[in-house]
Amino acid sequence: MLAIRLDRGAVLLRHQPKPRRPAGFALIRLLYGGICNTDLELQRGYYGFRGTPGHEFVGEVVEADTARWVGQRVVGEINLACGRCDWCVRGLGRHCPKRTVLGIVKHPGAFRELLTLPERNLWRVPGEIATEHAVFIEPLAAACEILEQVRIPKGAQVAVLGDGKLGLLIGQVLHASGGEVHQYGHHKDKLKLAADVGIDARLARKLPKGKYTWVVDATGSSEGLGTAVQMAQPRGTVVMKSTVHGMVAIDSAPVIVNEITLIGSRCGRFGPAIKLLKDRRVQVDRLISDVLPLQKAPLAFRHAVTPGALKILLQPR
Amino acid sequence: MLAIRLDRGAVLLRHQPKPRRPAGFALIRLLYGGICNTDLELQRGYYGFRGTPGHEFVGEVVEADTARWVGQRVVGEINLACGRCDWCVRGLGRHCPKRTVLGIVKHPGAFRELLTLPERNLWRVPGEIATEHAVFIEPLAAACEILEQVRIPKGAQVAVLGDGKLGLLIGQVLHASGGEVHQYGHHKDKLKLAADVGIDARLARKLPKGKYTWVVDATGSSEGLGTAVQMAQPRGTVVMKSTVHGMVAIDSAPVIVNEITLIGSRCGRFGPAIKLLKDRRVQVDRLISDVLPLQKAPLAFRHAVTPGALKILLQPR
């Protein structure tokens, strides 16, 4: 079968045997994979990564211990947790210290024709959700994670910095949950996608200082955090959603003087994301920039870093 | 009268006329001033500061609009707020956007024989508190601010990084409020002060990773924040108490992956601090390294940066 491999910056195609399916795991045929900024960071050396990336996917179960999974269209939570530690017992397997992570830490990713995941990680994709839209469940869950971490009052103004793939999902999630979202970005065409679903989208030229109680940094840039801190009110909260490889320089003085709270935010539960898509409260169709065959992954990765690109999907033949 | 002036790194002595007392202000004769790390940062150029520093003080009221203040032994909250904006109305004058700050921002500090502060900033020092101990009310309030920002459950383990003046006060405040404090530092003699009041004091050699739900960075060092993040558990909280001049480089990845919350923390209300000192629940006597006359301020500032030093007090003749 065909698998993508990242190795010191290169995107390689490999022919590999079908993966072994351990007990409790499902063998899944890839339908679509989505390229995330984290994949691009992995390509650049984040985590010293070498191997098969891919953690956004929708697939069809080919084999499983539990018969009812076979033939189902599924997505999967990406943290493979031990299921027994204190974190897992608290329902926070995504912080399990023994976890591996699909396509990121010690478990080969989804950018291959067949992949494996524990059955307990799987979610059935409801019939109302188109297959290519289901790829967005993972990043949408990451956007929804914000709502699990902070309680934003209905009607509160929230600045979302960034008009990339994740930023646009976050804007929609916060908008759907009742926030008055101000989405800031540098790309008119991307901001239009936000504006078209009713979000107040603004070109990030002169950014207001000290204005917002809630700011989300989804710029994906090392400067985003400092900008977000500047835009926050005293005692305000900045949600950190930009995974940046390497050190980030921040001026800690305004954080301390204004008593800003910074909250790191990563993966989320799939349930709320599936519900948002099923209820059509979030639009993802226009976030798909291109669908390319898996064997064109090197091109797809190049395409994904171009300024105009949003989500690039990979599809086996 | 004698006043200290910081100017591009130098600590200068100046003879000045007695300050004018605006309406609503008290004229206060300095009894003791305390040198804080922020004063040392101001000396290094923080805020582009030039002028009279000093925000930790105890004094005696010489003149005031309200007769009952005259002759009283007082301390004073350091933020001179407008009293009318939304922040002030919420009791958060220390975040008033129009504020000046005693000895820090546009209001000459306490390191002079006579100073002025609005009467509404003053707190009477109860008879149970020795005059030289009252100097600690301001930094103790900054330590108490942590309890206003986060709710640390009784018996929870809290790592306090740093065994300096502020670190030792924070350790005592969290210990007094029911936390199981682990105080980490590099100075055996300073850690002994913590141990002597019942705190678990530890030499900061090999620091445990991912251990604490609560970590306070009071190292005063630009590396302290990164260390604190490493010591925090997933979903843990790091309180930022190190005022460092300039940019701080942090690795944002562990903050995001472990979903750490970072909270900047600055000044606090004086009430809780006065109560702790009055009830003798915090010991400050052994934190005084030296008492020097105001005219020896240049020596006092040099003394304050030596590794063994804790609080240096300044006293007019």
Side-chain angles (χ1 to χ4, degrees):
Chain A
M1 65 160 199
L2 183 64
I4 306 309
R5 183 179 164 83
L6 296 183
D7 197 336
R8 286 167 287 190
V11 181
L12 308 171
L13 303 178
R14 286 283 179 272
H15 288 279
Q16 294 178 349
K18 179 175 117 172
R20 194 181 61 81
R21 179 178 71 83
F25 278 60
L27 183 70
I28 302 158
R29 183 169 67 82
L30 181 68
L31 295 173
Y32 289 100
I35 299 179
C36 167
N37 268 5
T38 301
D39 298 318
L40 302 173
E41 293 283 343
L42 292 176
Q43 188 187 0
R44 289 181 201 119
Y46 182 59
Y47 275 121
F49 185 85
R50 282 185 194 183
T52 296
H55 56 276
E56 300 178 1
F57 79 95
V58 54
E60 183 184 303
V61 176
V62 178
E63 291 175 19
D65 288 356
T66 312
R68 68 172 173 87
W69 278 119
V70 178
Q72 294 284 352
R73 207 169 47 136
V74 295
V75 290
E77 302 218 5
I78 72 174
N79 295 282
L80 291 81
C82 76
R84 286 179 299 276
C85 71
D86 288 351
W87 295 98
C88 289
V89 168
R90 285 167 56 193
L92 283 171
R94 51 200 193 279
H95 288 298
C96 169
K98 292 183 180 159
R99 73 185 180 276
T100 61
V101 186
L102 179 70
I104 301 176
V105 183
K106 293 181 183 166
H107 190 82
F111 294 167
R112 46 183 174 150
E113 289 177 291
L114 291 164
L115 63 136
T116 61
L117 261 190
E119 290 183 19
R120 68 162 171 258
N121 282 46
L122 301 184
W123 291 75
R124 197 180 68 80
V125 178
E128 295 89 339
I129 302 177
T131 304
E132 64 271 30
H133 294 175
V135 168
F136 289 89
I137 290 170
E138 197 282 333
L140 196 54
C144 291
E145 175 73 350
I146 296 172
L147 300 176
E148 182 168 321
Q149 295 179 282
V150 297
R151 190 169 300 272
I152 302 176
K154 285 222 187 295
Q157 286 187 350
V158 188
V160 176
L161 311 191
D163 54 11
K165 304 178 277 295
L166 184 57
L168 291 171
L169 290 176
I170 290 168
Q172 289 196 64
V173 164
L174 299 180
H175 177 68
S177 77
E180 183 190 327
V181 175
H182 296 181
Q183 184 121 29
Y184 290 90
H186 289 293
H187 308 89
K188 277 189 184 169
D189 49 340
K190 295 181 181 179
L191 288 172
K192 185 166 188 316
L193 301 181
D196 285 351
V197 296
I199 291 170
D200 184 339
R202 302 169 175 205
L203 267 176
R205 278 181 188 140
K206 197 165 153 45
L207 296 167
K209 290 195 174 181
K211 176 180 167 75
Y212 295 97
T213 310
W214 308 94
V215 185
V216 179
D217 169 29
T219 58
S221 127
S222 56
E223 289 88 50
L225 180 58
T227 304
V229 167
Q230 293 289 346
M231 290 174 72
Q233 277 192 5
R235 295 258 178 136
T237 296
V238 172
V239 179
M240 295 167 63
K241 271 290 185 193
S242 289
T243 302
V244 180
H245 177 229
M247 301 300 276
V248 172
I250 63 161
D251 185 355
S252 61
V255 178
I256 291 175
V257 169
N258 294 324
E259 299 193 317
I260 306 290
T261 295
L262 311 176
I263 302 186
S265 179
R266 190 175 45 117
C267 304
R269 302 178 201 275
F270 274 26
I274 291 172
K275 187 159 172 24
L276 280 172
L277 272 184
K278 186 180 163 192
D279 298 346
R280 301 186 187 281
R281 300 189 65 203
V282 165
Q283 308 300 324
V284 297
D285 200 60
R286 291 168 67 199
L287 299 185
I288 300 172
S289 289
D290 209 348
V291 183
L292 287 167
L294 199 54
Q295 59 267 45
K296 291 207 172 165
L299 173 66
F301 269 73
R302 286 199 299 278
H303 191 160
V305 293
T306 58
L310 286 166
K311 186 66 73 189
I312 312 292
L313 301 187
L314 291 170
Q315 185 181 31
R317 274 161 309 183
Chain B
M1 65 161 197
L2 184 63
I4 306 308
R5 184 179 164 82
L6 296 182
D7 198 335
R8 287 168 285 191
V11 181
L12 308 170
L13 302 179
R14 286 282 181 272
H15 288 278
Q16 294 178 346
K18 181 174 117 172
R20 193 181 61 81
R21 180 177 72 83
F25 278 60
L27 183 70
I28 302 159
R29 182 170 67 82
L30 181 68
L31 295 172
Y32 290 101
I35 299 178
C36 166
N37 269 6
T38 301
D39 298 317
L40 303 173
E41 293 284 343
L42 292 177
Q43 188 187 0
R44 290 182 201 117
Y46 182 59
Y47 275 120
F49 185 86
R50 282 186 194 183
T52 296
H55 55 277
E56 300 178 0
F57 79 94
V58 54
E60 184 184 303
V61 176
V62 178
E63 292 174 18
D65 287 358
T66 312
R68 69 174 174 87
W69 278 119
V70 178
Q72 294 284 352
R73 207 168 47 135
V74 296
V75 289
E77 302 218 6
I78 71 174
N79 294 282
L80 291 81
C82 78
R84 284 179 299 275
C85 71
D86 288 350
W87 295 99
C88 289
V89 168
R90 284 168 56 194
L92 284 171
R94 52 199 192 278
H95 288 298
C96 170
K98 293 184 181 158
R99 71 185 182 276
T100 61
V101 187
L102 178 71
I104 301 176
V105 184
K106 293 181 184 167
H107 190 82
F111 294 168
R112 45 183 175 151
E113 289 178 291
L114 291 164
L115 62 137
T116 61
L117 262 190
E119 290 183 19
R120 67 161 171 260
N121 282 46
L122 301 184
W123 290 75
R124 197 181 67 81
V125 178
E128 295 88 340
I129 301 177
T131 304
E132 64 272 29
H133 294 175
V135 169
F136 288 89
I137 290 169
E138 197 281 333
L140 196 53
C144 290
E145 175 74 349
I146 296 171
L147 300 175
E148 183 167 320
Q149 295 179 283
V150 297
R151 189 169 300 271
I152 302 177
K154 286 224 186 294
Q157 286 187 350
V158 188
V160 176
L161 311 191
D163 54 10
K165 305 178 277 293
L166 184 57
L168 291 171
L169 291 175
I170 290 168
Q172 289 196 62
V173 164
L174 299 180
H175 178 68
S177 77
E180 183 190 327
V181 175
H182 295 180
Q183 184 122 29
Y184 290 90
H186 289 294
H187 308 89
K188 277 189 184 168
D189 49 339
K190 294 181 181 178
L191 288 172
K192 186 166 188 315
L193 301 181
D196 286 351
V197 296
I199 291 170
D200 183 340
R202 302 168 175 206
L203 267 175
R205 279 180 188 143
K206 197 166 154 44
L207 296 167
K209 289 195 174 180
K211 178 180 165 78
Y212 295 97
T213 310
W214 307 95
V215 185
V216 180
D217 169 29
T219 58
S221 128
S222 55
E223 289 89 49
L225 180 57
T227 304
V229 167
Q230 293 289 347
M231 290 174 72
Q233 277 192 6
R235 296 256 178 137
T237 297
V238 171
V239 179
M240 295 166 64
K241 271 292 184 193
S242 289
T243 303
V244 179
H245 178 230
M247 301 301 276
V248 172
I250 62 160
D251 185 355
S252 62
V255 178
I256 291 175
V257 169
N258 293 324
E259 300 192 317
I260 305 290
T261 296
L262 311 176
I263 302 186
S265 179
R266 190 175 46 116
C267 303
R269 301 178 201 276
F270 275 26
I274 291 172
K275 186 158 174 23
L276 280 172
L277 272 184
K278 186 181 163 191
D279 298 346
R280 302 185 187 281
R281 300 188 65 203
V282 165
Q283 308 300 322
V284 297
D285 200 61
R286 291 169 66 198
L287 300 185
I288 301 172
S289 290
D290 210 347
V291 183
L292 287 167
L294 199 55
Q295 60 267 43
K296 290 207 174 164
L299 173 66
F301 269 74
R302 286 199 298 278
H303 191 161
V305 292
T306 58
L310 286 166
K311 186 65 74 190
I312 312 291
L313 300 188
L314 291 169
Q315 184 181 30
R317 272 162 310 184

